[in-house]
């Protein structure tokens, strides 16, 4: 055993001994406080996400006091959280709704707002206690929208939306509120989106997750490989980055100059002209066809080109298995039109290929490539990717590179950290409790000596003054339950009876106990 572990062992071994001398109430407060030293808030903030067939991802949430359970679709489009009002007649009828009249922590400013976040909604701006996930990550006063009008929400399978966008006016995002309440250090969250069915070329790490101010421990190998960080467009305050170009195999698409990273958008959406080129290639080069609903369907056995996005100089590749969805023995491309925009919308289809870190404080977004599933043969060859600019060497002072403190400690720094932790622990859990215990013991000993001195001054039970002393003591302690004259009245004939003699007999032992 290394020497450094010995004082740690002594610290934890001594904790039950010191706690034994505290009162019951104190023991409840101080029970196992050392756990928080190793369970940082970043680990307490991990929340599992539910995958609805690769179309939508949601978190379970609780709103109000007492809590009312709802499901919220995660979305990075805006910072707003919204749910339907229980009295909303223009909302979907089969989902859970929030009843503000049942909550003691609900408040509203009276103002209203129109919002386009997954659906078109409008309602009252309110404040409420909101928590998400089984780990109960809670904000005591979170702004949200209580919806009374809802449009274009038929495709939603959740009760509302959980906004993870940048702050907007008076509305702080849930992440910003956590930092304002000092429950996290950094406004940062990492998202892992899995495939509903096992992907043929990406390793499955289990349930999807969102981790606030930290990373998912299951993806530690991915995190250790490093993130490619890209600065976002700060003027727009969106998760929007520069897009150099998009390549579909040998075809280079240059219409889009920006790309928005969009949680809550199911597909990859692009400018009309660029998407038209891709769809035409499916028809002409790969004999795809459109079904009765207008969706392109392709033969899953054919070899298709990769889709490459160069974002601010970094290449990010989506293999055909990533942009196709298989249904009834056909493969359907998860690509669509971005409504005449010059911006690519990189939704869940793109994000399932990477572990993504959204860093609000540093205005950047990072992507770490998920591990390849080694049990599957390598994908067929495709046209070479466009050349990637040389990646700058890590610089400890560069804002673009951050090492993960949870994974990259050297042995020397580990020893220094251990010493820094152990010395305060020795002081807190050994020195302070020992001093308190010695102080309490000395006070008890002093009180006992004082009591012994007072014993010699006390009168005996047969002393006439004894009754008066006992009365004073009983009054001060508020323990006298008999009339005040019960101990001072003169003997009368009624005390000669057996019944009254029994009363006196019952009184004497109690006095004797008080004396002793």
């Amino acid at each position: 055993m290394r020497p450094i572990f010995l004082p740690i062992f002594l610290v934890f071994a001594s904790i039950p001994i010191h706690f034994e001398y505290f009162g019951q109430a104190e023991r409840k407060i101080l029970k196992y406080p050392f756990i928080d030293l190793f369970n940082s808030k970043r680990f307490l903030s991990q929340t599992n996400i539910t995958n609805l067939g690769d179309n939508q991802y949601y978190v379970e949430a609780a709103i109000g006091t007492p809590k009312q359970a709802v499901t919220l679709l995660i979305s990075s489009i805006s910072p707003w959280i919204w749910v339907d009002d229980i009295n909303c007649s223009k909302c979907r009828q089969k989902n859970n709704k929030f009843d503000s009249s049942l909550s003691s922590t609900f408040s509203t400013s009276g103002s209203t707002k129109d919002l386009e976040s997954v659906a078109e909604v409008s309602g009252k701006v309110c404040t409420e206690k909101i928590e998400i996930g089984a780990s109960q990550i809670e904000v005591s006063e979170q702004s949200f929208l209580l919806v009374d009008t809802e449009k274009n929400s038929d495709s939603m399978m959740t009760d509302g939306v959980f906004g993870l966008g940048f702050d907007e006016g008076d509305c702080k995002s849930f992440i910003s509120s956590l930092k304002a309440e000092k429950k996290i250090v950094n406004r940062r969250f990492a998202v892992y989106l899995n495939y509903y069915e096992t992907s043929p070329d990406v390793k499955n790490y289990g349930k999807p997750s969102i981790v606030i101010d930290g990373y998912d421990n299951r993806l530690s190998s991915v995190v250790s490989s490093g993130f490619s960080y890209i600065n976002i467009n700060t003027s727009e305050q969106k998760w929007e980055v520069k897009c150099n170009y998009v390549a579909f195999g040998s075809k280079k698409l240059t219409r889009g100059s920006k790309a928005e990273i969009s949680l809550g958008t199911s597909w990859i959406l692009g400018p009309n002209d660029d998407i038209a080129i891709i769809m035409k290639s499916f028809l002409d080069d790969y004999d795809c066809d459109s079904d009765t609903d207008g969706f392109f369907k392709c033969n899953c056995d054919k070899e298709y080109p990769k889709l490459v996005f160069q974002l601010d100089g970094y290449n990010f590749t989506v293999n055909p298995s990533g942009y196709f969805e298989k249904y009834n023995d056909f493969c359907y491309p998860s690509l669509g039109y971005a409504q005449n925009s010059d911006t690519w919308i990189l939704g869940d289809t793109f994000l399932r290929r990477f572990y993504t870190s959204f860093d609000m404080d540093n205005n950047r977004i990072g992507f770490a490539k998920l591990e390849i599933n080694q049990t599957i043969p390598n994908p067929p060859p495709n046209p070479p990717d466009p050349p990637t600019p040389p990646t700058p060497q890590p610089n400890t002072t560069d804002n673009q590179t951050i090492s993960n403190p949870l994974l990259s400690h050297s042995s020397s720094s580990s020893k220094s950290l251990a010493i820094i932790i152990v010395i305060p622990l020795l002081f807190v859990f050994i020195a302070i409790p020992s001093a308190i215990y010695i102080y309490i013991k000395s006070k008890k000993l002093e009180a006992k000596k004082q009591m012994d001195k007072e014993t010699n001054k006390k009168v005996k039970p047969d002393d006439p003054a004894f009754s008066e002393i006992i009365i004073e003591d009983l009054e001060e302690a508020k323990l006298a339950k008999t009339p005040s004259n019960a101990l001072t009245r003169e003997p009368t004939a009624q005390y000669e009876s057996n019944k009254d003699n029994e009363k006196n007999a019952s009184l004497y032992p109690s006095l004797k106990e008080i004396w002793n």
Side-chain angles (χ1 to χ4, degrees), residues 404-436:
N404 183 7
L406 304 178
L407 303 169
S408 59
H409 285 307
S410 65
S411 59
S412 60
S413 62
S414 297
K415 292 179 181 178
S416 301
L417 180 61
I419 293 173
I420 293 173
I421 293 176
V422 168
I423 291 176
L425 286 177
L426 290 172
F427 181 76
V428 171
F429 292 114
I430 294 181
I432 293 179
S434 298
I436 294 174

Side-chain angles (χ1 to χ4, degrees), residues 27-90:
R27 271 205 297 273
K28 289 180 180 178
I29 296 172
L30 298 174
K31 186 177 182 181
Y32 311 131
F34 53 84
I35 291 177
D36 286 339
L37 295 174
F38 299 95
N39 283 342
S40 167
K41 286 186 176 68
R42 66 183 57 198
F43 291 112
L44 296 179
S45 62
Q46 178 167 328
T47 298
N48 285 335
I49 300 172
T50 300
N51 182 350
L52 296 175
D54 288 347
N55 291 316
Q56 296 176 15
Y57 294 83
Y58 73 83
V59 294
E60 296 179 352
I63 304 179
T65 307
K67 301 173 184 178
Q68 300 180 43
V70 292
T71 58
L72 302 177
L73 173 73
I74 59 172
S75 170
S76 58
I77 297 174
S78 83
W80 284 94
I81 296 173
W82 64 261
V83 292
D84 293 341
D85 189 349
I86 188 82
N87 298 316
C88 179
S89 60
K90 298 179 181 180

Side-chain angles (χ1 to χ4, degrees), residues 139-189:
V139 170
S140 57
E141 294 183 357
Q142 175 63 44
S143 297
F144 78 107
L145 195 66
L146 190 57
V147 173
D148 53 28
T149 303
E150 188 177 277
K151 297 178 181 178
N152 300 327
S153 59
D154 294 338
S155 62
M156 284 186 60
M157 295 180 278
T158 61
D159 303 324
V161 169
F162 183 68
L164 291 168
F166 283 88
D167 298 349
E168 182 182 295
D170 294 334
C171 177
K172 288 185 177 180
S173 69
F174 189 84
I175 308 297
S176 295
S177 297
L178 283 174
K179 184 171 182 178
E181 295 184 5
K182 299 182 178 179
K183 295 179 179 178
I184 59 172
V185 177
N186 305 295
R187 291 190 307 157
R188 178 183 62 185
F189 60 96

